[in-house]
Amino acid sequence: LSVNDVPAYTECAWEIERRYGLKDAVWYVTSDAASLTDDFRRTFGDDTVVTAGFKPSLYTRQRLPSSNASSDTRQEVSTLMRELAGEWWLLSRCSHLVISLSSLSQTAAAVAIATRNASVYLVKDAKARRHGRSGISACDRVTSLSSWDYNTL
């Protein structure tokens, strides 16, 4: 995956910058695709894009290790949990979110709205089209989390 594969997200972010007169905005990009976050940094530079870097998701593991797991495994999980907490803290500091239809996005939106009253913009992407949401524009502002429902978007 590369920046060229997700033009609606960058176009939406640029539109938000123009709309709010943001100068020197910093984008926090999070994805489970290492190639995408790497390409964002290469394309836009470290002064514009901040990423947490790619780490294996705890959610992709079958289960967390048991109490009798090795010390190395427990340390790895501990490190991943600290990094996850850091990512969520960064997401909570965002004033504007450009999101997709995903559970991560829904949770990030709830956190950012609750902590900063953030503006959240939903991008019409392939997942939205798969769910038959052809009425979503390229960059629609989500005005209520109660409307966050695949049946009503």
Side-chain angles (χ1 to χ4, degrees), residues 71-152:
S71 174
D72 288 344
T73 301
R74 286 194 307 274
Q75 182 60 40
E76 178 188 3
V77 169
S78 176
T79 299
L80 288 171
M81 292 301 288
R82 282 193 303 278
E83 290 170 354
L84 182 62
E87 285 190 51
W88 279 104
W89 182 83
L90 285 170
L91 281 168
S92 77
R93 308 315 307 153
C94 294
S95 298
H96 306 277
L97 272 75
V98 178
I99 62 173
S100 65
L101 283 174
S102 72
S103 57
L104 170 66
S105 292
Q106 180 178 0
T107 308
V111 169
I113 287 171
T115 58
R116 296 194 49 95
N117 197 26
S119 300
V120 178
Y121 297 85
L122 178 65
V123 170
K124 179 181 178 182
D125 61 3
K127 188 171 185 178
R129 288 190 296 274
R130 278 196 311 274
H131 285 281
R133 306 298 167 244
S134 57
I136 300 170
S137 75
C139 189
D140 275 350
R141 185 166 182 187
V142 176
T143 56
S144 168
L145 288 181
S146 63
S147 68
W148 186 278
D149 179 4
Y150 289 117
N151 298 318
T152 60

